Coordinates of all heavy atoms in Angstrom, one line a residue:
M1 N 70.4 71.4 75.7 CA 69.0 71.2 75.3 C 68.7 69.7 75.0 O 67.7 69.1 75.4 CB 68.7 72.0 74.0 CG 67.3 71.9 73.6 SD 67.0 73.2 72.3 CE 65.3 73.1 72.2
R2 N 69.7 69.1 74.3 CA 69.5 67.6 74.0 C 69.5 66.8 75.3 O 68.8 65.8 75.4 CB 70.6 67.1 73.1 CG 70.4 67.6 71.7 CD 71.5 67.0 70.8 NE 71.3 67.6 69.4 CZ 71.9 67.1 68.4 NH1 72.7 66.1 68.5 NH2 71.6 67.6 67.2
A3 N 70.3 67.2 76.3 CA 70.3 66.5 77.6 C 68.9 66.6 78.2 O 68.4 65.7 78.8 CB 71.4 67.0 78.5
R4 N 68.3 67.8 78.2 CA 67.0 68.0 78.8 C 66.0 67.1 78.1 O 65.1 66.5 78.7 CB 66.6 69.4 78.7 CG 67.3 70.3 79.6 CD 66.6 71.7 79.6 NE 67.5 72.7 80.3 CZ 67.5 72.8 81.6 NH1 66.8 72.0 82.4 NH2 68.3 73.7 82.2
I5 N 66.0 67.0 76.8 CA 65.1 66.2 76.0 C 65.3 64.7 76.3 O 64.3 64.0 76.6 CB 65.3 66.5 74.5 CG1 64.8 67.9 74.1 CG2 64.5 65.4 73.6 CD1 65.2 68.4 72.7
A6 N 66.6 64.3 76.4 CA 66.8 62.9 76.7 C 66.4 62.5 78.1 O 65.8 61.5 78.4 CB 68.3 62.6 76.5
A7 N 66.6 63.5 79.1 CA 66.3 63.2 80.5 C 64.7 63.1 80.6 O 64.2 62.2 81.3 CB 66.7 64.4 81.3
K8 N 64.0 63.9 79.8 CA 62.6 63.8 79.8 C 62.1 62.5 79.2 O 61.2 61.8 79.7 CB 61.9 65.0 79.1 CG 60.5 65.1 79.2 CD 59.9 66.3 78.6 CE 58.4 66.4 78.8 NZ 57.8 67.6 78.3
K9 N 62.7 62.2 78.0 CA 62.3 60.9 77.3 C 62.5 59.7 78.1 O 61.7 58.8 78.1 CB 63.2 60.8 76.0 CG 62.9 59.6 75.2 CD 63.8 59.6 74.0 CE 63.6 58.3 73.2 NZ 64.5 58.3 72.0
F10 N 63.6 59.6 78.9 CA 63.9 58.4 79.7 C 63.5 58.6 81.2 O 63.9 57.8 82.0 CB 65.4 58.1 79.6 CG 65.8 57.7 78.2 CD1 66.5 58.6 77.4 CD2 65.5 56.4 77.8 CE1 66.9 58.2 76.1 CE2 65.8 56.1 76.5 CZ 66.5 56.9 75.7
N11 N 62.6 59.6 81.5 CA 62.1 59.8 82.8 C 63.2 59.9 83.9 O 63.0 59.3 84.9 CB 61.1 58.7 83.2 CG 59.9 58.7 82.2 OD1 59.3 59.8 82.0 ND2 59.5 57.5 81.8
W12 N 64.2 60.6 83.6 CA 65.3 60.7 84.5 C 64.9 61.6 85.7 O 64.4 62.7 85.5 CB 66.5 61.3 83.8 CG 67.7 61.5 84.7 CD1 68.0 62.7 85.4 CD2 68.6 60.6 85.2 NE1 69.2 62.5 86.1 CE2 69.5 61.2 86.0 CE3 68.8 59.2 84.9 CZ2 70.6 60.5 86.6 CZ3 69.9 58.5 85.5 CH2 70.7 59.2 86.4
N13 N 65.1 61.2 86.9 CA 64.8 62.0 88.1 C 66.2 62.6 88.5 O 67.1 61.9 88.9 CB 64.3 61.1 89.2 CG 62.9 60.7 88.9 OD1 62.1 61.4 88.4 ND2 62.6 59.4 89.2
M14 N 66.3 63.9 88.4 CA 67.5 64.6 88.7 C 68.0 64.2 90.1 O 67.2 64.2 91.1 CB 67.3 66.1 88.6 CG 68.6 66.8 88.9 SD 68.5 68.6 88.7 CE 67.4 69.0 90.0
S15 N 69.2 63.9 90.2 CA 69.9 63.5 91.5 C 70.0 64.8 92.4 O 70.4 65.8 92.0 CB 71.2 63.0 91.2 OG 72.1 63.2 92.2
K16 N 69.6 64.6 93.7 CA 69.9 65.6 94.7 C 70.7 64.9 95.8 O 70.1 64.0 96.5 CB 68.6 66.2 95.2 CG 67.9 67.0 94.2 CD 66.8 67.7 94.7 CE 66.1 68.4 93.6 NZ 65.6 69.7 93.8
E17 N 71.9 65.2 95.9 CA 72.8 64.6 96.9 C 73.0 63.1 96.7 O 73.1 62.3 97.7 CB 72.4 65.0 98.3 CG 72.4 66.5 98.5 CD 72.2 66.9 99.9 OE1 72.3 66.0 100.8 OE2 72.0 68.1 100.2
S18 N 73.0 62.6 95.4 CA 73.3 61.2 95.1 C 74.3 61.2 94.0 O 74.3 62.1 93.1 CB 72.0 60.5 94.6 OG 71.0 60.5 95.6
K19 N 75.2 60.3 94.0 CA 76.3 60.2 93.0 C 75.7 59.7 91.7 O 74.8 58.8 91.7 CB 77.4 59.2 93.5 CG 78.1 59.7 94.7 CD 79.1 58.7 95.2 CE 79.7 59.2 96.5 NZ 80.5 58.1 97.1
V20 N 76.1 60.4 90.6 CA 75.7 60.0 89.3 C 76.9 59.7 88.4 O 77.8 60.5 88.3 CB 74.9 61.2 88.6 CG1 74.6 60.9 87.2 CG2 73.7 61.5 89.4
V21 N 77.0 58.5 87.9 CA 78.1 58.1 87.0 C 77.8 58.5 85.6 O 76.7 58.3 85.1 CB 78.3 56.6 87.1 CG1 79.4 56.1 86.1 CG2 78.6 56.1 88.5
V22 N 78.7 59.2 85.0 CA 78.6 59.7 83.6 C 79.7 59.0 82.7 O 80.8 59.4 82.8 CB 78.6 61.2 83.5 CG1 78.4 61.7 82.1 CG2 77.6 61.8 84.5
L23 N 79.3 58.0 81.9 CA 80.2 57.4 81.0 C 80.3 58.2 79.7 O 79.2 58.4 79.1 CB 79.8 56.0 80.7 CG 79.6 55.1 81.9 CD1 79.1 53.7 81.5 CD2 80.8 55.0 82.8
L24 N 81.5 58.6 79.3 CA 81.6 59.5 78.1 C 82.4 58.8 77.0 O 83.5 58.2 77.3 CB 82.4 60.7 78.5 CG 81.7 61.5 79.6 CD1 82.8 62.3 80.4 CD2 80.7 62.5 79.0
T25 N 81.9 58.8 75.8 CA 82.6 58.3 74.6 C 82.6 59.5 73.6 O 81.5 60.0 73.2 CB 81.9 57.1 74.0 OG1 81.9 56.0 75.0 CG2 82.7 56.6 72.8
F26 N 83.8 59.9 73.2 CA 83.9 61.0 72.3 C 84.1 60.5 70.8 O 84.8 59.5 70.6 CB 85.2 61.8 72.6 CG 85.1 62.5 74.0 CD1 85.3 61.9 75.2 CD2 84.7 63.9 74.0 CE1 85.2 62.5 76.4 CE2 84.6 64.5 75.2 CZ 84.8 63.9 76.4
F27 N 83.5 61.2 69.9 CA 83.6 60.9 68.5 C 84.1 62.3 67.8 O 83.3 63.2 67.6 CB 82.3 60.5 67.9 CG 81.9 59.1 68.4 CD1 81.2 59.0 69.6 CD2 82.2 58.0 67.7 CE1 80.8 57.8 70.1 CE2 81.8 56.7 68.1 CZ 81.1 56.6 69.4
F28 N 85.4 62.4 67.6 CA 86.0 63.6 67.0 C 85.8 63.7 65.5 O 85.8 62.7 64.8 CB 87.4 63.7 67.5 CG 87.6 63.8 68.9 CD1 88.4 62.9 69.6 CD2 87.1 64.9 69.6 CE1 88.6 63.0 71.0 CE2 87.3 65.0 71.0 CZ 88.0 64.1 71.7
P29 N 85.8 64.9 65.0 CA 85.7 65.1 63.5 C 87.0 64.9 62.7 O 86.9 64.7 61.5 CB 85.2 66.5 63.4 CG 85.7 67.2 64.6 CD 85.7 66.2 65.7
S30 N 88.1 64.8 63.4 CA 89.4 64.6 62.7 C 90.4 64.0 63.6 O 90.1 63.8 64.8 CB 89.9 66.0 62.2 OG 90.3 66.7 63.4
K31 N 91.5 63.6 63.1 CA 92.6 63.0 63.9 C 93.4 64.0 64.6 O 94.4 63.7 65.3 CB 93.5 62.2 63.0 CG 92.9 60.9 62.4 CD 93.8 60.1 61.6 CE 93.2 58.8 61.1 NZ 94.1 58.0 60.4
R32 N 93.1 65.3 64.5 CA 93.8 66.3 65.2 C 93.8 66.0 66.7 O 92.7 65.7 67.3 CB 93.1 67.7 65.0 CG 93.9 68.8 65.6 CD 93.2 70.1 65.1 NE 93.6 71.1 66.1 CZ 92.8 71.9 66.8 NH1 91.5 71.8 66.6 NH2 93.2 72.8 67.6
K33 N 94.9 66.0 67.3 CA 95.0 65.6 68.7 C 94.2 66.4 69.7 O 94.3 67.7 69.6 CB 96.5 65.6 69.1 CG 96.8 65.0 70.5 CD 98.3 64.9 70.7 CE 98.5 64.3 72.1 NZ 99.9 64.3 72.4
K34 N 93.4 65.8 70.5 CA 92.6 66.5 71.5 C 92.7 65.7 72.8 O 92.8 64.5 72.8 CB 91.1 66.6 71.1 CG 90.9 67.4 69.8 CD 89.4 67.4 69.4 CE 89.1 68.1 68.2 NZ 89.7 67.6 67.0
D35 N 92.6 66.5 73.9 CA 92.6 65.8 75.2 C 91.2 65.8 75.7 O 90.6 66.8 76.0 CB 93.5 66.6 76.2 CG 95.0 66.6 75.8 OD1 95.4 65.6 75.3 OD2 95.7 67.6 76.1
T36 N 90.7 64.6 75.8 CA 89.3 64.4 76.3 C 89.1 65.0 77.7 O 88.0 65.6 78.0 CB 88.9 63.0 76.3 OG1 89.8 62.2 77.0 CG2 88.8 62.4 74.8
H37 N 90.1 64.8 78.6 CA 89.9 65.3 79.9 C 89.8 66.8 80.1 O 89.3 67.3 81.1 CB 91.0 64.7 80.8 CG 92.4 65.2 80.4 ND1 93.1 64.5 79.4 CD2 93.2 66.2 80.8 CE1 94.3 65.1 79.2 NE2 94.3 66.1 80.0
N38 N 90.2 67.6 79.1 CA 90.1 69.0 79.1 C 88.7 69.5 79.0 O 88.4 70.6 79.4 CB 90.9 69.7 78.0 CG 92.4 69.6 78.3 OD1 92.8 69.4 79.4 ND2 93.2 69.8 77.3
T39 N 87.8 68.6 78.6 CA 86.4 69.0 78.4 C 85.5 68.7 79.7 O 84.4 69.2 79.8 CB 85.7 68.2 77.3 OG1 85.7 66.8 77.7 CG2 86.5 68.3 76.0
L40 N 86.1 68.0 80.7 CA 85.2 67.6 81.8 C 84.6 68.7 82.6 O 83.4 68.6 82.9 CB 86.1 66.7 82.7 CG 86.4 65.3 82.1 CD1 87.2 64.5 83.1 CD2 85.2 64.6 81.6
K41 N 85.3 69.7 82.9 CA 84.7 70.8 83.8 C 83.5 71.4 83.1 O 82.4 71.5 83.7 CB 85.8 71.9 84.1 CG 85.3 73.0 84.9 CD 84.8 72.5 86.3 CE 84.3 73.7 87.2 NZ 83.3 73.3 88.1
V42 N 83.6 71.8 81.8 CA 82.5 72.5 81.1 C 81.4 71.5 80.9 O 80.2 71.8 81.2 CB 83.0 73.0 79.7 CG1 81.8 73.4 78.9 CG2 84.0 74.1 79.9
L43 N 81.7 70.2 80.6 CA 80.6 69.2 80.4 C 79.8 69.0 81.7 O 78.6 69.0 81.7 CB 81.2 67.9 79.9 CG 81.5 67.8 78.5 CD1 82.2 66.5 78.2 CD2 80.2 67.9 77.6
M44 N 80.5 68.8 82.8 CA 79.9 68.5 84.0 C 79.1 69.7 84.5 O 77.9 69.5 85.0 CB 80.9 68.0 85.1 CG 81.5 66.7 84.8 SD 80.4 65.3 84.4 CE 80.5 65.2 82.6
D45 N 79.6 70.9 84.3 CA 78.8 72.1 84.7 C 77.6 72.2 83.8 O 76.5 72.6 84.3 CB 79.7 73.3 84.5 CG 80.7 73.6 85.5 OD1 80.6 72.9 86.6 OD2 81.6 74.4 85.3
S46 N 77.6 71.8 82.6 CA 76.5 72.0 81.7 C 75.3 71.0 82.0 O 74.2 71.3 81.6 CB 76.9 71.8 80.2 OG 77.2 70.4 79.9
F47 N 75.6 70.0 82.7 CA 74.5 69.0 83.1 C 73.9 69.4 84.5 O 72.9 68.7 84.9 CB 75.0 67.6 83.1 CG 75.4 67.1 81.7 CD1 76.7 66.5 81.5 CD2 74.6 67.3 80.6 CE1 77.1 66.1 80.3 CE2 75.0 66.9 79.4 CZ 76.2 66.3 79.2
E48 N 74.4 70.4 85.1 CA 73.8 70.8 86.4 C 72.3 71.2 86.1 O 72.1 71.9 85.2 CB 74.6 71.9 87.1 CG 75.8 71.5 87.8 CD 76.4 72.6 88.6 OE1 76.0 73.7 88.6 OE2 77.5 72.3 89.2
G49 N 71.4 70.8 87.0 CA 70.0 71.1 86.8 C 69.3 70.2 85.9 O 68.1 70.4 85.7
I50 N 70.0 69.3 85.3 CA 69.4 68.3 84.4 C 69.6 66.9 84.9 O 68.7 66.2 85.1 CB 70.0 68.4 82.9 CG1 69.8 69.8 82.4 CG2 69.4 67.4 82.0 CD1 70.6 70.1 81.1
L51 N 70.9 66.5 85.1 CA 71.2 65.2 85.6 C 71.4 65.2 87.1 O 71.2 64.2 87.7 CB 72.5 64.7 84.9 CG 72.5 64.5 83.4 CD1 73.8 64.1 82.8 CD2 71.3 63.6 82.9
Y52 N 71.9 66.3 87.6 CA 72.2 66.4 89.1 C 72.0 67.9 89.4 O 72.1 68.7 88.6 CB 73.6 65.9 89.4 CG 74.6 66.1 88.3 CD1 75.1 67.4 88.2 CD2 75.0 65.1 87.5 CE1 76.1 67.6 87.2 CE2 75.9 65.3 86.5 CZ 76.5 66.6 86.3 OH 77.4 66.8 85.3
D53 N 71.8 68.1 90.7 CA 71.7 69.5 91.2 C 73.0 70.2 91.3 O 73.1 71.4 91.2 CB 70.9 69.6 92.5 CG 71.5 68.9 93.6 OD1 72.4 68.0 93.4 OD2 71.1 69.2 94.8
D54 N 74.1 69.5 91.5 CA 75.4 70.1 91.6 C 76.5 69.1 91.1 O 76.4 67.9 91.4 CB 75.7 70.4 93.1 CG 77.0 71.1 93.4 OD1 78.0 70.9 92.7 OD2 77.0 72.0 94.2
D55 N 77.4 69.6 90.3 CA 78.4 68.6 89.7 C 79.3 68.0 90.7 O 80.1 67.2 90.4 CB 79.1 69.3 88.5 CG 80.1 70.4 88.9 OD1 80.0 70.9 90.0 OD2 80.9 70.7 88.1
Y56 N 79.2 68.4 91.9 CA 80.0 67.8 93.0 C 79.6 66.3 93.0 O 80.5 65.5 93.4 CB 79.6 68.4 94.3 CG 80.0 67.7 95.6 CD1 81.3 67.8 96.0 CD2 79.2 66.8 96.3 CE1 81.8 67.2 97.2 CE2 79.6 66.2 97.4 CZ 80.9 66.3 97.8 OH 81.3 65.6 98.9
W57 N 78.4 65.9 92.6 CA 77.9 64.5 92.7 C 78.2 63.8 91.4 O 77.9 62.6 91.3 CB 76.4 64.5 93.0 CG 76.1 65.2 94.3 CD1 75.6 66.4 94.5 CD2 76.3 64.6 95.6 NE1 75.5 66.7 95.8 CE2 75.9 65.6 96.5 CE3 76.7 63.4 96.0 CZ2 76.0 65.3 97.9 CZ3 76.8 63.2 97.4 CH2 76.4 64.1 98.3
A58 N 78.8 64.4 90.4 CA 79.1 63.8 89.1 C 80.4 63.0 89.2 O 81.4 63.4 89.7 CB 79.1 64.8 88.0
L59 N 80.3 61.8 88.7 CA 81.5 60.9 88.6 C 81.8 60.6 87.1 O 81.3 59.6 86.5 CB 81.3 59.6 89.3 CG 81.0 59.7 90.8 CD1 80.5 58.4 91.4 CD2 82.1 60.3 91.6
P60 N 82.5 61.5 86.4 CA 82.7 61.3 85.0 C 83.8 60.3 84.7 O 84.8 60.2 85.4 CB 83.2 62.7 84.5 CG 83.8 63.3 85.7 CD 83.0 62.8 86.9
R61 N 83.5 59.5 83.7 CA 84.4 58.4 83.3 C 84.6 58.4 81.8 O 83.6 58.1 81.1 CB 83.9 57.0 83.8 CG 83.9 57.0 85.3 CD 83.3 55.7 85.8 NE 83.2 55.7 87.3 CZ 82.6 54.8 88.0 NH1 82.0 53.8 87.4 NH2 82.5 55.0 89.3
I62 N 85.8 58.7 81.3 CA 86.0 58.7 79.9 C 86.3 57.2 79.5 O 87.2 56.6 79.9 CB 87.2 59.6 79.5 CG1 86.9 61.0 79.9 CG2 87.5 59.5 78.0 CD1 88.0 62.0 79.8
M63 N 85.4 56.7 78.6 CA 85.5 55.3 78.3 C 86.3 55.1 77.0 O 87.0 54.1 76.9 CB 84.1 54.8 78.0 CG 83.1 54.9 79.2 SD 83.8 54.3 80.8 CE 83.8 52.6 80.4
D64 N 86.2 56.0 76.0 CA 86.9 55.8 74.8 C 86.8 57.1 73.9 O 86.0 58.0 74.3 CB 86.3 54.6 74.0 CG 87.3 54.0 73.1 OD1 88.4 54.5 72.8 OD2 87.0 52.9 72.5
F65 N 87.5 57.1 72.8 CA 87.4 58.2 71.8 C 87.6 57.5 70.4 O 88.3 56.5 70.3 CB 88.3 59.4 72.0 CG 89.7 59.1 71.8 CD1 90.3 59.2 70.6 CD2 90.5 58.6 72.9 CE1 91.7 58.9 70.4 CE2 91.9 58.3 72.7 CZ 92.4 58.5 71.5
H66 N 86.9 58.1 69.4 CA 87.0 57.6 68.1 C 87.0 58.8 67.1 O 86.7 59.9 67.5 CB 85.8 56.8 67.7 CG 85.5 55.7 68.7 ND1 86.2 54.5 68.6 CD2 84.7 55.6 69.7 CE1 85.7 53.7 69.6 NE2 84.8 54.3 70.3
I67 N 87.3 58.6 65.9 CA 87.2 59.6 64.8 C 85.9 59.2 64.0 O 85.7 58.1 63.6 CB 88.4 59.6 63.9 CG1 89.7 59.7 64.7 CG2 88.3 60.6 62.8 CD1 89.8 60.9 65.5
D68 N 85.1 60.2 63.8 CA 83.9 60.0 63.0 C 83.7 61.3 62.2 O 83.0 62.3 62.8 CB 82.6 59.7 63.8 CG 81.4 59.3 62.9 OD1 81.4 59.7 61.7 OD2 80.5 58.7 63.5
R69 N 84.2 61.4 61.1 CA 84.2 62.7 60.3 C 82.7 63.0 59.9 O 82.4 64.2 59.7 CB 85.0 62.5 59.0 CG 86.5 62.3 59.3 CD 87.3 62.1 58.0 NE 88.6 61.5 58.3 CZ 89.6 62.1 58.7 NH1 89.6 63.3 59.1 NH2 90.8 61.4 58.9
E70 N 81.9 62.0 59.7 CA 80.5 62.3 59.3 C 79.6 62.7 60.4 O 78.6 63.4 60.2 CB 80.0 61.0 58.6 CG 80.8 60.5 57.4 CD 80.8 61.5 56.3 OE1 79.7 62.1 56.0 OE2 81.9 61.7 55.7
N71 N 79.9 62.2 61.6 CA 78.9 62.5 62.7 C 79.7 62.6 64.0 O 79.6 61.8 64.9 CB 77.9 61.3 62.8 CG 76.9 61.6 63.8 OD1 76.6 62.7 64.2 ND2 76.3 60.5 64.3
P72 N 80.5 63.7 64.2 CA 81.2 64.0 65.4 C 80.1 64.2 66.5 O 79.1 64.8 66.3 CB 82.0 65.2 65.2 CG 81.4 65.9 64.0 CD 80.7 64.8 63.2
R73 N 80.4 63.6 67.7 CA 79.4 63.7 68.8 C 80.1 63.3 70.1 O 81.2 62.8 70.2 CB 78.2 62.8 68.5 CG 78.6 61.3 68.4 CD 77.5 60.5 67.7 NE 77.8 59.1 67.7 CZ 78.6 58.6 66.7 NH1 79.2 59.3 65.8 NH2 78.8 57.3 66.7
L74 N 79.3 63.4 71.1 CA 79.6 62.8 72.5 C 78.4 61.9 72.9 O 77.3 62.3 72.8 CB 79.7 64.0 73.5 CG 79.8 63.6 74.9 CD1 81.1 62.9 75.2 CD2 79.8 64.9 75.8
E75 N 78.7 60.7 73.2 CA 77.7 59.8 73.7 C 77.9 59.6 75.2 O 79.0 59.4 75.7 CB 77.8 58.4 73.0 CG 77.5 58.6 71.5 CD 77.5 57.2 70.7 OE1 77.8 56.2 71.3 OE2 77.1 57.3 69.6
L76 N 76.7 59.6 75.9 CA 76.7 59.4 77.3 C 75.9 58.2 77.8 O 74.9 57.9 77.1 CB 76.1 60.6 78.0 CG 76.5 62.0 77.7 CD1 75.6 63.0 78.3 CD2 77.9 62.2 78.2
V77 N 76.3 57.6 78.8 CA 75.5 56.6 79.5 C 75.6 57.1 81.0 O 76.6 57.4 81.5 CB 76.1 55.2 79.4 CG1 75.3 54.2 80.3 CG2 76.1 54.7 78.0
V78 N 74.4 57.3 81.5 CA 74.3 57.9 82.9 C 73.5 57.0 83.8 O 72.4 56.5 83.4 CB 73.6 59.3 82.7 CG1 73.5 60.0 84.1 CG2 74.3 60.2 81.8
Y79 N 74.0 56.8 85.0 CA 73.2 56.0 86.0 C 73.6 56.5 87.4 O 74.6 57.0 87.6 CB 73.4 54.5 85.8 CG 74.9 54.1 85.9 CD1 75.4 53.6 87.2 CD2 75.7 54.0 84.8 CE1 76.7 53.2 87.3 CE2 77.0 53.6 85.0 CZ 77.5 53.1 86.2 OH 78.8 52.7 86.3
M80 N 72.7 56.2 88.3 CA 72.9 56.5 89.7 C 73.8 55.4 90.3 O 73.7 54.2 89.9 CB 71.6 56.5 90.5 CG 70.6 57.5 90.1 SD 71.1 59.1 90.7 CE 69.5 59.9 90.6
K81 N 74.7 55.8 91.1 CA 75.6 54.9 91.8 C 75.0 54.3 93.0 O 74.3 54.9 93.7 CB 77.0 55.5 92.1 CG 77.9 54.6 92.8 CD 79.3 55.1 92.9 CE 80.1 54.0 93.5 NZ 81.4 54.3 93.7

């Protein structure tokens, strides 16, 4: 839902057969060890129909991860390649 709202706010035109770069920064709620790459399939599937028509066109790039106990989140920067 937040992705839909952001796409509308920034006038994102959903990609159809164009590559979309998705830069990902994770903010975890604790130091408990997590593998960021294990989230990619579900994340890229969840953006289908919002950022691109098929996640075949998604180019996810994990940029960093941090601990933020107060505000755990995922931050994205998205652009057409």
Side-chain angles (χ1 to χ4, degrees):
M1 183 169 192
R2 288 185 182 192
R4 286 188 192 281
I5 292 168
K8 186 174 182 177
K9 178 180 177 181
F10 293 104
N11 297 316
W12 179 262
N13 292 318
M14 184 178 65
S15 148
K16 293 189 185 217
E17 298 189 12
S18 297
K19 294 175 186 171
V20 177
V21 177
V22 183
L23 306 179
L24 302 150
T25 302
F26 293 83
F27 293 82
F28 295 121
S30 70
K31 290 185 178 183
R32 187 173 158 237
K33 189 176 177 181
K34 295 179 181 67
D35 292 329
T36 56
H37 59 275
N38 288 342
T39 66
L40 291 180
K41 179 63 178 151
V42 171
L43 279 172
M44 295 305 104
D45 284 348
S46 71
F47 296 131
E48 281 188 358
I50 301 169
L51 301 178
Y52 34 76
D53 62 340
D54 187 320
D55 68 345
Y56 169 81
W57 299 102
L59 300 172
R61 297 178 183 169
I62 298 170
M63 304 308 292
D64 206 349
F65 67 90
H66 306 279
I67 306 302
D68 188 341
R69 297 178 200 282
E70 302 298 318
N71 186 23
R73 64 195 180 279
L74 171 64
E75 293 183 356
L76 307 173
V77 174
V78 181
Y79 61 91
M80 299 283 201
K81 181 167 183 182

